[in-house]
Amino acid sequence: MAAIVRADDLGKQVESGGQPLVILEAISFGVEAGESLAILGASGSGKSTLLGLLAGLDVPSSGTVKLDGVDIFACDEDARARLRGRLAGFVFQSFQLLPALTALENVMLPLELRGQRDARQQAEAVLIRVGLGHRLHHLPKHLSGGEQQRVAIARAFVVQPKILFADEPTGNLDASTGRQIIELLLELNRAQGTTLILVTHDEALAARCGRQLRLEAGRAVSPRPFTGEG
Ligand SMILES: Nc1ncnc2c1ncn2[C@@H]1O[C@H](COP(=O)(O)OP(=O)(O)OP(=O)(O)O)[C@@H](O)[C@H]1O
Ligand SMILES: [Mg+2]
């Protein structure tokens, strides 16, 4: 089966203070549809940069990323954005909910932007699924951190993406709430077959994912060669 996410010899280099700075180097791996992958590594090792490249939010200095077989950096920016909209959802460490909209309205928004008529029913169903049926009309500021993250997860999942990217989705949560959020992501990964690629510092949470990719100073240092095969 072809990988749904495939990185080949991916590198990112920037100019910093007149000097070239290597942020990522020679990263190659593949993720099959329905798998869960944790990206681990110390602060500054390049995790967020890698996630941004995989999702086509940032442009690499070398190498390729294929999503569902499409070379995303061979497309122009519009085509890349369309592909992202069709395939990918995002959950960020800082939730990024719209503060003036209720939980329900936040989750309805991506459906409304797609012109879906039953946005309200679908959004409600997903919010119930993440355990927030009793918080539909709350504004984000009246929700706890864990609840806000569950709204953000509902918003990402409501459009049924094939791939969900999450950058430290538990970084702003206490340990027990963080575990619940990871369980929820894994549950949705299992139930909907969504491919899950998440960044975390937490070894225990990472161990709950099917596979791990470890970064050290911009290089993949998995215990065995991480090729994405097998
Ligand atoms: N545009 C840029 N210009 C210069 N340096 C950058 C740029 N983007 C990232 N870096 C540097 O690259 C390194 C990797 O950054 P990145 O955000 O990917 O790390 P991270 O592993 O996600 O860290 P954290 O766990 O703290 O979120 C950092 O040292 C960062 O300062
Ligand atoms: Mg980061």
Side-chain angles (χ1 to χ4, degrees):
M1 200 168 60
I4 190 155
V5 180
R6 174 88 230 166
D8 276 298
D9 205 20
L10 203 57
K12 178 76 182 180
Q13 196 175 319
V14 295
E15 283 284 313
S16 180
Q19 298 284 324
L21 172 69
V22 175
I23 300 178
L24 286 174
E25 199 171 8
I27 307 278
S28 298
F29 66 96
V31 181
E32 303 288 321
E35 274 195 303
S36 56
L37 173 75
I39 300 172
L40 284 154
S43 181
S45 58
K47 303 181 299 296
S48 294
T49 305
L50 177 58
L51 203 70
L53 293 176
L54 295 176
L57 296 171
D58 189 9
V59 180
S61 312
S62 58
T64 57
V65 172
K66 285 184 181 163
L67 295 184
D68 213 8
V70 180
D71 182 343
I72 61 171
F73 299 112
C75 312
D76 64 28
E77 230 170 283
D78 284 352
R80 193 148 67 231
R82 277 198 304 278
L83 188 75
R84 199 162 51 224
R86 183 166 70 74
L87 288 176
F90 303 88
V91 175
F92 299 94
Q93 176 170 353
S94 54
F95 322 140
Q96 300 198 9
L97 300 174
L98 293 172
L101 301 185
T102 65
L104 182 62
E105 289 162 349
N106 264 285
V107 179
M108 285 170 63
L109 191 62
L111 294 170
E112 285 172 335
L113 290 173
R114 291 174 172 217
Q116 296 204 9
R117 260 185 257 137
D118 54 349
R120 173 173 290 265
Q121 289 88 322
Q122 281 195 52
E124 265 187 38
V126 178
L127 279 163
I128 290 168
R129 182 108 181 271
V130 302
L132 288 179
H134 60 315
R135 293 286 185 270
L136 298 179
H137 306 295
H138 276 51
L139 292 172
K141 68 179 175 195
H142 295 141
L143 295 168
S144 71
E147 287 170 342
Q148 289 184 58
Q149 194 58 302
R150 280 190 273 162
V151 175
I153 290 169
R155 180 181 57 184
F157 266 98
V158 79
V159 294
Q160 303 190 326
K162 283 193 180 172
I163 312 159
L164 187 79
F165 295 99
D167 193 354
E168 299 200 46
T170 65
N172 279 327
L173 305 173
D174 64 77
S176 131
T177 310
R179 263 191 302 278
Q180 287 170 29
I181 291 295
I182 293 292
E183 291 306 327
L184 175 63
L185 287 171
L186 289 170
E187 209 261 331
L188 293 164
N189 156 254
R190 277 190 298 268
Q192 288 186 205
T194 309
T195 307
L196 179 63
I197 299 187
L198 75 86
V199 167
T200 181
H201 279 114
D202 187 326
E203 298 277 347
L205 300 183
R208 304 280 296 110
C209 292
R211 299 160 81 195
Q212 293 79 33
L213 172 65
R214 200 171 297 272
L215 293 182
E216 262 176 37
R219 282 189 164 266
V221 290
S222 297
R224 59 194 166 80
F226 196 102
T227 61
E229 257 62 74

